[in-house]
Amino acid sequence: MIYVDNAATTKVSGAAMDAMQRCMEKNWGNPSSLYGLGQRAAEAVEDARERIARCIGASAREIIFTSGGSEADNQAIRSAAMLGAGKRKKHIISTAFEHHAVLHTLKRLEDEGFEVELLPVGALGTVSAQQVAEAIREDTALVTVMYANNEIGSVLPVSEIGAVCRERKVVFHTDAVQATGHIPIDVQAQNIDMLSLSAHKFHGPKGIGALYVRQGIPLTSLIEGGAQERGRRAGTENVPAIVGMAAALEEACAHMEENAVKVSALRDRLTEGLSRIPHAALNGDPVNRLPGNVSFCFEGIEGESLLLLLDDRGICASSGSACTSGSLDPSHVLLAVGRPHEVAHGSLRLSLCEENTASDVDAILKAVPEIVDYLRNMSPLWKDKVCGKKKFVL
Ligand SMILES: *Cc1c(COP(=O)(O)O)cnc(C)c1O
């Protein structure tokens, strides 16, 4: 099997698995219990908090554990919105191509009376700090801009946006779920006030994530109950997952540079090979890009058919055009970068990790052109284009 869908999820690393197993065998107590067994679990949680904080330049007090990236996004945005509303600030700035965990939270806030402004992301899939600066108003409560896009891999100028927000005294949140463990992050140096991360995107377990919140920014609880996480997130801590997340993130950060060099070399070979397919185009920023992301649109095919035929050959990939809740709407990300509907339907996302090999790339570069050809030859629309009755888009 060739797994090239690491933006969807990753395989749990050996280090994370070992740490989790040891934790479940030894530290299975409730961290809120006063006896030794519970206190050892509490220590494991605090040790993990400290190690995770260190990986992103934060302090341990600034990390709270959540059930994943979605919850971290929800809590960050809702907290900043409530904080703003208390000061009569109800304007929120974001981008058109955020993850749905962000976009749907913003939609809900809009229904509750907030004004949401989604900045356009241009053909490369990015926003500039200047765009953000021009959008900030007296009543802006929050800027939330993703660190790197999960579909097309573009990496945004977070440091510059952070500097603008700090100067204008606006809270800055970034969904760094695709970036954490893959490219360097320093919340202090980059003036980030809130940051979401998720373990299963860097070889940790699913269902666990964290929200970094700069000291002094109050958080609104989404889940009411006990006093865990200093009253900011109720519920008994998922101790093994927290410990596994710390092990995975430390490992990812320790090998970040060598992994990026290896993975980006594979990415560049794939990109070059797929670019040779006629009427195909790379999505996203060719330069400021995640090391592992390859995203293409192929005119004249359906992405879903391509995925099924790739699966037949043992290749696990994604269209990037996740058909939201069964509807056949094309990806909002591809539409945001200006791909017409017809082309947005023919997308392919390959997301690599350090376990991929040159022979994986060879196999993909053999399979994709053959399948694209096969699908095009079956398409009446494609025949019309070839004989000139309809125009090519790409
Ligand atoms: C995966 C992902 C999320 C959601 O994280 P979960 O842990 O799966 O809830 C949010 N944002 C981005 C950019 C993602 O890639």
Side-chain angles (χ1 to χ4, degrees):
M1 189 189 73
I2 296 175
Y3 186 80
V4 280
D5 200 14
N6 288 279
T9 198
T10 57
K11 185 175 145 195
V12 176
S13 73
M17 212 142 16
D18 288 349
M20 291 170 76
Q21 180 155 13
R22 271 200 313 277
C23 177
M24 284 187 278
E25 282 166 2
K26 294 209 175 81
N27 295 331
W28 51 267
N30 186 320
S32 298
S33 300
L34 292 179
Y35 39 76
L37 180 67
Q39 286 309 297
R40 280 199 300 282
E43 278 162 26
V45 169
E46 293 319 308
D47 173 65
R49 198 188 306 279
E50 191 139 345
R51 288 154 60 203
I52 289 163
R54 205 175 304 139
C55 289
I56 60 168
S59 69
R61 291 174 60 82
E62 298 173 312
I63 300 294
I64 90 158
F65 295 118
T66 66
S67 65
S70 299
E71 187 187 326
D73 284 341
N74 273 256
Q75 190 170 11
I77 292 169
R78 195 155 272 285
S79 296
M82 292 309 128
L83 187 65
K87 303 175 188 164
R88 295 178 182 277
K89 295 182 175 187
K90 296 191 110 180
H91 178 238
I92 299 174
I93 298 167
S94 188
T95 77
F97 76 159
E98 297 292 313
H99 190 273
H100 282 137
V102 169
L103 287 179
H104 290 174
T105 303
L106 293 175
K107 187 86 200 79
R108 186 68 74 89
L109 288 169
E110 219 166 37
D111 297 340
E112 293 171 19
F114 287 84
E115 185 188 339
V116 175
E117 184 174 348
L118 300 181
L119 301 175
V121 296
L124 293 182
T126 193
V127 295
S128 66
Q130 193 188 339
Q131 271 175 286
V132 174
E134 284 167 5
I136 291 177
R137 312 190 312 211
E138 282 295 307
D139 64 339
T140 302
L142 168 69
V143 169
T144 173
V145 173
M146 69 200 320
Y147 206 119
N149 184 271
N150 46 304
E151 287 188 28
I152 59 174
S154 40
V155 176
L156 282 79
V158 164
S159 301
E160 288 81 354
I161 294 170
V164 164
C165 292
R166 181 55 52 88
E167 193 198 318
R168 305 283 291 275
K169 299 191 170 62
V170 177
V171 175
F172 175 41
H173 166 254
T174 184
D175 174 343
V177 172
Q178 288 292 329
T180 311
H182 302 284
I183 53 179
I185 293 176
D186 184 334
V187 292
Q188 284 299 334
Q190 296 179 287
N191 293 305
I192 297 167
D193 296 315
M194 297 173 141
L195 176 144
S196 307
L197 60 88
S198 175
H200 76 99
K201 305 290 176 74
F202 51 76
H203 302 288
K206 293 168 192 43
I208 188 73
L211 174 59
Y212 149 81
V213 194
R214 180 177 296 284
Q215 206 151 5
I217 299 180
L219 274 188
T220 304
S221 281
L222 299 183
I223 300 174
E224 305 300 340
Q228 291 92 353
E229 300 298 284
R230 293 196 285 127
R232 296 173 297 176
R233 206 275 184 180
T236 302
E237 299 85 342
N238 188 347
V239 185
I242 288 169
V243 166
M245 172 161 67
L249 185 56
E250 270 187 340
E251 192 181 30
C253 290
H255 300 284
M256 188 182 286
E257 208 170 301
E258 60 188 281
N259 287 347
V261 168
K262 181 186 169 186
V263 171
S264 57
L266 298 175
R267 172 199 66 189
D268 293 345
R269 255 194 72 214
L270 268 178
T271 304
E272 196 193 291
L274 296 178
S275 300
R276 297 217 185 93
I277 297 176
H279 307 286
L282 179 72
N283 297 312
D285 192 323
V287 181
N288 297 313
R289 194 176 187 93
L290 286 171
N293 179 286
V294 177
S295 169
F296 269 84
C297 280
F298 303 108
E299 187 167 357
I301 65 154
E302 285 294 332
E304 280 64 33
S305 314
L306 173 57
L307 293 188
L308 292 175
L309 293 170
L310 282 170
D311 185 31
D312 286 344
R313 300 192 189 200
I315 298 170
C316 308
S318 157
S319 68
S321 70
C323 304
T324 319
S325 62
S327 79
L328 282 173
D329 291 340
S331 144
H332 70 286
V333 174
L334 295 174
L335 296 181
V337 295
R339 296 286 182 223
H341 276 242
E342 182 203 328
V343 170
H345 277 296
S347 60
L348 174 68
R349 178 187 71 187
L350 306 167
S351 42
L352 308 162
C353 80
E354 61 286 353
E355 286 188 19
N356 288 117
T357 62
S359 78
D360 292 349
V361 171
D362 294 337
I364 295 165
L365 287 180
K366 182 171 182 320
V368 174
E370 287 175 8
I371 297 170
V372 167
D373 238 20
Y374 170 78
L375 290 173
R376 281 175 173 171
N377 285 332
M378 289 198 310
S379 154
L381 178 63
W382 184 256
K383 289 201 180 96
D384 283 351
K385 290 186 178 197
V386 172
C387 70
K389 273 199 225 153
K390 290 221 168 67
K391 281 205 164 62
F392 286 109
V393 183
L394 293 180

